[in-house]
Amino acid sequence: MTPPLPQRVLVIMPAWNEGLAVGNTVREVLARPEKYDILVVDDGSTDDTALVAADAGATVLRLPFNLGVGGAMRAGFKYASRNDYDAVIQVDADGQHDPKDIAIVLDGLKNADISIGARFADRGNYTVSGPRKWAMVFLAKTISSLATTRLTDVTSGFRAANRRGIAQYLDHYPAEYLGDTIDSLVVAIRSGCRVTQVPVEMRARQAGTPSHNPLKAAIYLGRSFFALCFALTRKPSRLATIDSEVG
């Protein structure tokens, strides 16, 4: 029996100094016919991110200082759990994740606990090259073997989780931006979560300055290797007793 799609979905947008982009991103998501709730986690911004997001129609959770994406997402998961959401999905505040693809990523939860919006799955023209590409291919192959399913974009932040996935993230999600997508994914798989991917297209940043340059990207991937090794040594988390058919 195919589980129903989640009824109450929370879009979590971690945002750090995204005042130029977050307002339009929130409005685009709210304009979708699916009518998602939006939580913008203002990660210690020094600009008007929180004000712009609230004016655009989002609920805003303000962190007192910058924790990084991992810390912001942990706060978002706690909010989702306390407010009884069926599913969450992370969406970049800078507009690179196309809001029309939110429903596509959520659709992956029909047969999985975590659904990844994959940039390298025969859709769109997003490409990487050189050492970064080699590293991402290695990470994808390693984690695919753990998940016993083909995954091509394990560093993607455009991902959704059902109630079972949320419970896993609450039990273990790295607070620091240190390969958080890798660490959290490996532990989720080893804890029994089912993972799938769906193809999505990436857009150019809508405004503001990219937080990653080639050097930072290389450092992040190096940290991802470290996170992979560390995650493989962790004990699997104990998932809460939740019917995995829900969501």
Side-chain angles (χ1 to χ4, degrees), residues 188-202:
I189 291 168
R190 296 182 67 226
S191 298
C193 285
R194 299 160 299 172
V195 179
T196 192
Q197 70 174 30
V198 296
V200 297
E201 296 182 45
M202 290 289 286

Side-chain angles (χ1 to χ4, degrees), residues 3 5-6 29 34 48 51 59 83 91-92 109 125 128 141 159 162 170 181 191 193-194 197-198 212 236:
L5 284 176
V29 174
E34 298 85 0
D48 59 353
L51 178 61
T59 298
N83 289 276
V91 174
D92 281 356
L109 296 179
N125 56 7
V128 294
K141 286 185 176 180
R159 59 177 68 179
N162 63 11
L170 286 173
T181 53
S191 298
C193 285
R194 299 160 299 172
Q197 70 174 30
V198 296
H212 288 299

Side-chain angles (χ1 to χ4, degrees), residues 104-105 108-109 112 114-119 143 151-160 169 181 185 189 195-200:
I104 295 173
V105 179
L109 296 179
I114 296 171
S115 176
I116 302 171
R119 298 163 290 184
I143 296 177
L151 302 173
T152 60
D153 191 10
V154 294
T155 62
S156 171
F158 194 13
R159 59 177 68 179
Y169 284 150
T181 53
L185 188 59
I189 291 168
V195 179
T196 192
Q197 70 174 30
V198 296
V200 297

